[in-house]
Amino acid sequence: FTDAFDVLFAESPEQIYQQFLAKKVPLLFSGEKGCWPWLDGSEFGGKGGWVCDNVYPNPGTDNRYLNSGIWIGFASYARRLYRYLNTILDVDTDPHLNDQLAISEVFLSHRMNISLDYYCEVMMCVHISQGDIHFAGNVGKWHNHITNS
């Protein structure tokens, strides 16, 4: 799934699927460098920066934050996530409802088995990361020289 303008498919659907299966996780979201929507500190009573620095895991890569605009997973587990989100969110009355915030909160609370692609092995959000990639003409593929993927 993708809903973002900053997504580039660099492999065939079959290759992407095989890379996902190799991760052995039910639901994989893209990791990204931007800690949105907490970046400005407006969420959690102005403690957004604290959440970014202290609550998110630090896997040793800058792509440590969840991006809900790119994910792959088993349909049954994705349905389970969205059913859970429907029980905790009021989509009819909350005009500020944000899928990235909601899914990030589920991820950070460990309520479900959600994993992030920290090293851009299956997918990559290009936002804030344009300088990390280049087109390797000799192999005809995009390459992330930071994560070597």
Side-chain angles (χ1 to χ4, degrees), residues 7-20 72 117 120-124 135 139-144 148-149:
V7 174
L8 172 70
F9 292 96
E11 296 286 353
S12 70
E14 180 60 29
Q15 182 65 29
I16 292 169
Y17 180 64
Q18 292 303 320
Q19 290 171 329
F20 161 69
I72 187 171
D117 187 5
C120 308
E121 295 166 318
V122 179
M123 62 196 101
M124 178 182 172
F135 189 73
V139 292
K141 292 185 177 185
W142 287 94
H143 181 258
N144 183 322
N148 199 29
S149 57

Side-chain angles (χ1 to χ4, degrees), residues 27-67:
L27 202 50
L28 183 68
F29 282 82
S30 176
E32 73 168 323
K33 290 182 178 181
C35 188
W36 193 86
W38 296 288
L39 203 57
D40 65 358
S42 62
E43 299 296 333
F44 295 106
K47 296 182 180 174
W50 185 87
V51 171
C52 297
D53 294 340
N54 299 292
V55 179
Y56 262 94
N58 189 348
T61 174
D62 290 340
N63 300 300
R64 64 187 274 209
Y65 307 109
L66 185 141
N67 180 309

Side-chain angles (χ1 to χ4, degrees), residues 75-138:
S76 60
Y77 207 79
R79 273 194 306 274
R80 189 172 152 201
L81 170 64
Y82 282 98
R83 283 185 185 136
Y84 176 73
L85 290 172
N86 282 329
T87 67
I88 63 170
L89 302 173
D90 189 352
V91 297
D92 296 324
T93 61
D94 187 351
H96 304 290
L97 194 60
N98 179 304
D99 66 319
Q100 186 145 319
L101 174 63
I103 296 169
S104 294
E105 288 178 350
V106 173
F107 169 71
L108 293 172
S109 69
H110 306 286
R111 290 184 196 125
M112 295 189 69
N113 186 7
I114 295 173
S115 298
L116 300 189
D117 187 5
Y118 294 114
Y119 295 94
C120 308
E121 295 166 318
V122 179
M123 62 196 101
M124 178 182 172
C125 173
V126 184
H127 177 67
I128 313 176
S129 300
Q130 296 92 339
D132 296 358
I133 61 172
H134 68 276
F135 189 73
N138 59 330

